[in-house]
Amino acid sequence: MVGAGRPLSLGAKGAATTLPHLIRSDQLAAVRRSVLLSIPVNVVLGITSALVAWNSGQTKAGLIWFAASCVPNSFRMMLCRLAETTNPAVVDRRLKLHSAAALSSGLVWAFIPTLCAGYTSPQTLFYLIVVCGITAGAVTHGFAYARIPIGFITPPLLSAAGCLFYAGGFDRICLGATVVLYLAALIRACREGEGLMRETSRLKNEATSLATSLEGAHVAATEIAEEMTRRASRDALTGLLNRSGFLEEAERRAAIAQSPMSLLLLDLDGFKAVNDTYGHKAGDNVLIEVARRLQLSLPSSFAVARLGGDEFAVLFEMGLVDVNPTLLAHELIAAIAIPFAAFDAGRIGVSIGVHVSTAPAIDEMLISADAALYAAKLAGRNRCYVFDAELAHHLAMRRDIERDLGKALAEGGLEVWYQPVMIDGGARFGGFEALARWRHPRHGWISPPDLIASASLAGFGEQLLRFILSDVCVTILAMREIGLADARVAMNVSPREMSQIAVDELVLKGLKARGVPPAMLEIEITEETALDIQAVRGKLAALSEAGVSVAIDDFGVGYSSLGALRRLRVDRVKIDRIFVEGVSRSAENRSLVLAILSLAGPLGFEVVAEGIEHQDDLETMRDLGCKAFQGYLIARPMPRNEALRWARTHARALPGRPAPRR
């Protein structure tokens, strides 16, 4: 190995150039590149800060500050434009000038508090984010020569911490302390970064000068490759394993497992609403915080990953730790449920699917845990569900359905049944809900939700939608013939079809081709669909303008906002059965129902109570002011002809009297 002071090459004038001089030259070249990259960002953030100052009435101060920031920036750019040199004295002098210029720029940024009343004005959050962002960027780009980023970041961060300490208050003092810790961490990162850069430069220069250093260069290259591989397996936002990294790690653990493996799949509740309301930056902060809470709550031996979006995974071998998966799931639910500082309490939750396997096959575990997660979601937010025999049967059934559904659609094996909706307090027939049914040769009657979900996953969603629409059109025309033209028929559209298919064009063309009045059709979507306003608003608006009604099904289990109800022109809201069943005995459910009913008038929609199965629930809903009902107590789903006879019988029931049970 070459000594630190041993000459490696000759300079332009014949003077020996030592290894430290070559490293210094590499540092200067890296500094020039990093400054050329960072100055434009500095200028853009400076302009933005000045604009915010102008908007907040600090125009003069903002302009003075921005003008001051341009001086060191211009000098730094000028330094970067100087001709390259390997002269040791010149290199050292330029590095010192770059350091002084960076310190000057940092001192200008230290005066940011003058634009926001010492970080106490409403613009404080913006300026803090800008300062933290630009200092982090300086460290990221300034790894080659630590004095430069340290000189730049120290004044503004100390200024911010000092202002926060001076302002007082527990929150500001804690934030000021955090800024100091942040500064210390950045300084350490700068020094370590410079050390790594110098080491890389040393290896490079020795490798180009001495054949004996080839082996060392190969080792360095191998280390870099390993680091790149590690980064490829990590989620850039949270630092957790990403999907590919998790699958690789899971396969490795499964191959050597001596005891059952437990997999937890986590999906955040309410995350999309946060993204829509506060923006994607806030959503990213939520994901980072969730990852942090997971790491704090779990042993380091667990494999923790962000699989994508707002979905996380936890994997561990049960024989190695004394942890009950169900209890662990509840602990994680409690950890995530702790209010986030920037949002309303209770806005973010998590649903968890749990699967334990004695013969771990990762693909099967993921499928099973996903089924359990779906069951947890159906049960409401902040729930966990353990994969069991019932879910295993349901999963096998779903696979059979997906396999056989195409043939059934082609051969006319599906039917559409109709369940009545009673209005005017249950006294008069108000319409039907169309429910697709299929008698599977092995599993018997398949429920409408399972059928729609399976069709969507198997790629038959549009074909099933066309089939239901065709049958519904026949039913509507039959209703007109028997004098029921004032009633509607509702058909369900799944979230996937609503977002991926031109539902408005399909429906309106189908109605026109068959001569069916749009006013007699109702499209039912779930709250999940309603949340994705950008994807569905235009389609629902086209349907609504044509006269088709819009209803939100299973209302109350999701996170619809009042704005979404208004913007989507909702005509009908169907309260989910979990709030209707037992409402006569649940004060909490009665309060929720009253809240929904109180919105009906101002927002102009009708409220339907789903799942009416008991007389006392019907009477309670009536007493609360609900006037439309659907459920087995009213009538079960029926084939078309039977449903039409039922409707004609109950079209003019006595006022105030509920329809009899079938």
Side-chain angles (χ1 to χ4, degrees), residues 14 41-42 141 160 190 233 327 343 362 382-383 394 562 585 604 653:
V41 177
N42 189 306
H141 291 294
C190 292
S233 66
L327 294 179
F343 313 119
I362 298 306
N382 286 338
R383 304 287 181 91
H394 186 80
L562 300 184
R585 303 180 300 277

Side-chain angles (χ1 to χ4, degrees), residues 205-433:
N205 286 294
E206 287 185 346
T208 58
S209 303
L210 299 172
T212 55
S213 63
L214 288 175
E215 183 178 354
H218 176 71
V219 172
T222 302
E223 291 176 351
I224 292 173
E226 290 176 350
E227 175 64 14
M228 293 297 291
T229 301
R230 188 193 70 81
R231 292 185 180 182
S233 66
R234 291 282 169 178
D235 175 53
L237 180 65
T238 63
L240 302 178
L241 290 169
N242 58 22
R243 179 176 288 274
S244 62
F246 177 76
L247 292 177
E248 182 178 342
E249 177 66 13
E251 292 286 358
R252 185 190 68 80
R253 294 189 181 212
I256 61 175
Q258 300 296 316
S259 59
M261 302 281 288
S262 180
L263 173 64
L264 282 66
L265 281 187
L266 300 80
D267 190 84
L268 298 183
D269 300 322
F271 178 73
K272 190 176 189 325
V274 169
N275 256 348
D276 292 343
T277 304
Y278 296 96
H280 290 285
K281 179 65 176 178
D284 287 347
N285 290 336
V286 167
L287 296 175
I288 293 170
E289 175 63 15
V290 168
R292 187 189 71 84
R293 295 184 187 185
L294 290 178
Q295 290 176 307
L296 289 176
S297 304
L298 297 169
S300 59
S301 60
F302 284 26
V304 187
R306 178 190 173 210
L307 300 184
D310 60 340
E311 189 175 23
F312 296 81
V314 176
L315 178 72
F316 63 95
E317 186 176 348
M318 297 182 64
L320 301 180
V321 290
D322 184 20
V323 174
N324 181 288
T326 305
L327 294 179
L328 175 62
H330 286 293
E331 290 175 5
L332 296 180
I333 289 172
I336 303 303
I338 297 173
F340 288 69
F343 313 119
D344 301 337
R347 184 178 289 273
I348 296 294
V350 66
S351 298
I352 302 179
V354 182
H355 178 57
V356 177
S357 176
T358 55
I362 298 306
D363 289 342
E364 287 296 320
M365 290 187 72
L366 284 169
I367 292 171
S368 300
D370 188 62
L373 174 61
Y374 182 74
K377 284 280 189 183
L378 288 179
R381 67 185 297 165
N382 286 338
R383 304 287 181 91
C384 77
Y385 197 100
V386 180
F387 188 80
D388 52 19
E390 182 181 352
L391 270 184
H393 171 74
H394 186 80
L395 191 58
M397 181 181 72
R398 193 177 75 185
R399 289 172 174 169
D400 289 345
I401 293 172
E402 292 176 11
R403 182 192 65 221
D404 302 332
L405 181 56
K407 181 180 178 181
L409 279 167
E411 297 178 353
L414 273 65
E415 303 177 36
V416 179
W417 286 25
Y418 296 87
Q419 186 174 23
V421 175
M422 297 296 285
I423 60 176
D424 293 345
R428 183 167 64 87
F429 170 73
F432 289 119
E433 179 180 0

